[in-house]
Amino acid sequence: MENPSVVVKKAEGKEFSCDLVIEDRPVPEIDDDDVLLEKGSVGICGSDVHYWTHGRIGDFIVNEPMILGHEASGKVIKAGKNVKNLQVGDRVAIEPGYNLEADDYAKKGRYNLSDVFFCATPPDDGCLMKYYKHKANWCYKIPENMSYEEAAFIEPLSVGIHACRRANITLGDTVLITGCGPIGLVSLLVARAMGASKVLMTDMNGERLKKAIECGASETIQVTREQTPEQIAEIVEEKLGGKPNITIECTGAESCIQTGIYATKSGGCLLLVGLGKEMANLPIVNAAVREVDIRGVFRYCNTWPIAINMISSGQIHVKPLVTHRFELKDALKAFETTRRGEGVKVMIKCLPDM
């Protein structure tokens, strides 16, 4: 194949809503403001798997074949005539979403709230392919001491950076994080780097809780379906010696949001990072009378330079979160591994790291 690409297509009468295939696509022709990249590494996100297994996320529906992938890095092999920030041979991390017009949100630096192009979000194709074109202004040169794998991990790390900045985490804060998936774990890394003194993490998966301890969690709680949100909140308070002033909810599960409200200190902040069902039953009066601020988090903005500096300086280590690696030709096995919930982050390697 000249340009093998991982694609989801609508399927009828099958276990999953979409077929997952590797097919050949033409090598993209670049415009004046684009670069053509040979992909380095691409991480598999839960949203990629969800489009395969369910065919949609909310109002974003796979009606036409779509290339997956949005956590990526690569090497510039061709540059458009207007490109000034990059040259052939540069290794880059790719920010997968960018605003399509200079609206009020973009002018204020919150371009994630604008009308955007975003890789692997219908109808936009993703970047899990050997050769991919992207706007040069949204590709960031990485230093020599950073691997393609680390550069691809900047995308999920950016969610953690954006969440922790929205929460205004600072020195001495105590933090509860619900969910020990990749986003929960990067939120832990960032919270610690920003000065949180204690971080407690919850999950149902004991292996992921072990990984949380390895990554710097102060305490963990392995929760069960039999426990009520109020009971879990009480355990959180007992383990931390008081209620956390910040909770970062990374699952989207209704019960975890409820736990976040009950557990957070009066006057504190609950960040909603995980996305679940559209409507949720919440103890909103409890939040209101205790002035617990509830803030949404949608992707990220203005995070790539910060993330590059944090990783390249050694302030944050993301390599331990990569637990499985596959070549591009074995991408279907990589998706099965992710679907089964094995490990933490599954990475597809397209180029060897230098």
Side-chain angles (χ1 to χ4, degrees):
M1 287 187 180
E2 184 179 20
N3 190 21
S5 308
V6 180
V7 179
V8 286
K9 300 179 176 181
K10 289 183 69 174
E12 300 295 336
K14 293 192 175 182
E15 179 183 2
F16 298 144
S17 295
C18 288
D19 289 324
L20 182 68
V21 298
I22 299 177
E23 64 180 33
D24 200 14
R25 291 290 183 96
V27 175
E29 294 291 333
I30 64 170
D31 297 323
D32 292 343
D33 298 319
D34 296 338
V35 287
L36 182 64
L37 304 171
E38 184 174 5
K39 300 314 289 295
S41 292
V42 183
I44 298 179
C45 176
S47 65
D48 294 316
V49 174
H50 202 84
Y51 280 124
W52 166 35
T53 57
H54 292 77
R56 67 184 297 165
I57 295 177
D59 294 331
F60 296 104
I61 303 170
V62 180
N63 290 317
E64 301 294 333
M66 181 182 75
I67 299 170
L68 293 171
H70 61 268
E71 305 175 4
S73 61
K75 179 174 68 175
V76 177
I77 59 173
K78 189 176 182 181
K81 67 179 184 180
N82 294 339
V83 175
K84 307 297 183 184
N85 61 316
L86 297 170
Q87 58 186 8
V88 172
D90 284 345
R91 299 160 61 247
V92 299
I94 302 164
E95 183 166 2
Y98 50 83
N99 53 292
L100 297 174
E101 58 182 61
D103 60 11
D104 287 343
Y105 296 115
K107 290 175 183 177
K108 294 175 182 176
R110 301 183 72 180
Y111 55 85
N112 57 315
L113 303 180
S114 302
D115 183 19
V116 299
F117 167 90
F118 198 89
C119 287
T121 299
D124 300 327
D125 275 327
C127 57
L128 186 40
M129 54 203 305
K130 185 174 182 181
Y131 299 108
Y132 169 73
K133 75 170 183 177
H134 202 68
K135 295 297 181 187
N137 284 340
W138 300 92
C139 296
Y140 301 82
K141 186 175 178 179
I142 60 175
E144 292 183 2
N145 70 336
M146 181 179 290
S147 66
Y148 284 125
E149 196 169 89
E150 290 171 309
F153 219 115
I154 287 175
E155 198 279 340
L157 179 61
S158 288
V159 178
I161 292 172
H162 187 56
C164 290
R165 290 200 300 197
R166 291 272 291 152
N168 297 317
I169 291 177
T170 189
L171 296 172
D173 278 334
T174 56
V175 180
L176 165 65
I177 299 176
T178 54
C180 292
I183 299 303
L185 292 172
V186 295
S187 297
L188 161 64
L189 294 176
V190 177
R192 280 298 207 184
M194 291 177 69
S197 59
K198 295 180 181 179
V199 181
L200 184 150
M201 301 196 67
T202 67
D203 203 286
M204 298 177 69
N205 186 314
E207 290 302 313
R208 290 197 167 188
L209 290 170
K210 290 179 183 178
K211 180 63 73 173
I213 291 293
E214 293 173 13
C215 292
S218 313
E219 299 278 357
T220 63
I221 300 172
Q222 185 166 4
V223 298
T224 67
R225 297 186 189 279
E226 289 71 32
Q227 292 171 305
T228 67
E230 295 97 323
Q231 289 171 334
I232 297 171
E234 289 176 2
I235 300 171
V236 169
E237 183 174 2
E238 180 182 344
K239 285 205 170 237
L240 287 177
K243 290 179 178 291
N245 49 318
I246 294 166
T247 296
I248 302 176
E249 204 299 293
C250 298
T251 71
E254 181 179 271
S255 61
C256 292
I257 303 173
Q258 294 168 350
T259 297
I261 291 175
Y262 289 127
T264 304
K265 186 177 182 179
S266 296
C269 181
L270 167 62
L271 273 291
L272 302 182
V273 181
L275 297 178
K277 58 186 181 180
E278 184 175 1
M279 301 296 292
N281 182 28
L282 302 177
I284 201 69
V285 173
N286 182 286
V289 299
R290 297 193 302 111
E291 295 191 356
V292 174
D293 292 343
I294 300 175
R295 299 177 188 171
V297 173
F298 186 61
R299 294 174 178 157
Y300 35 68
C301 57
N302 308 304
T303 55
W304 256 251
I306 295 169
I308 289 171
N309 289 338
M310 294 180 88
I311 294 174
S312 64
S313 68
Q315 187 177 17
I316 277 183
H317 300 282
V318 296
K319 280 186 177 180
L321 302 184
V322 180
T323 53
H324 295 74
R325 297 170 175 86
F326 294 85
E327 295 182 15
L328 181 56
K329 65 182 177 63
D330 296 320
L332 303 189
K333 294 180 182 178
F335 271 80
E336 279 288 355
T337 300
T338 306
R339 185 184 65 83
R340 291 193 298 265
E342 297 178 14
V344 179
K345 176 58 67 178
V346 175
M347 196 71 68
I348 294 175
K349 309 285 285 183
C350 305
L351 281 173
D353 274 313
M354 302 176 68

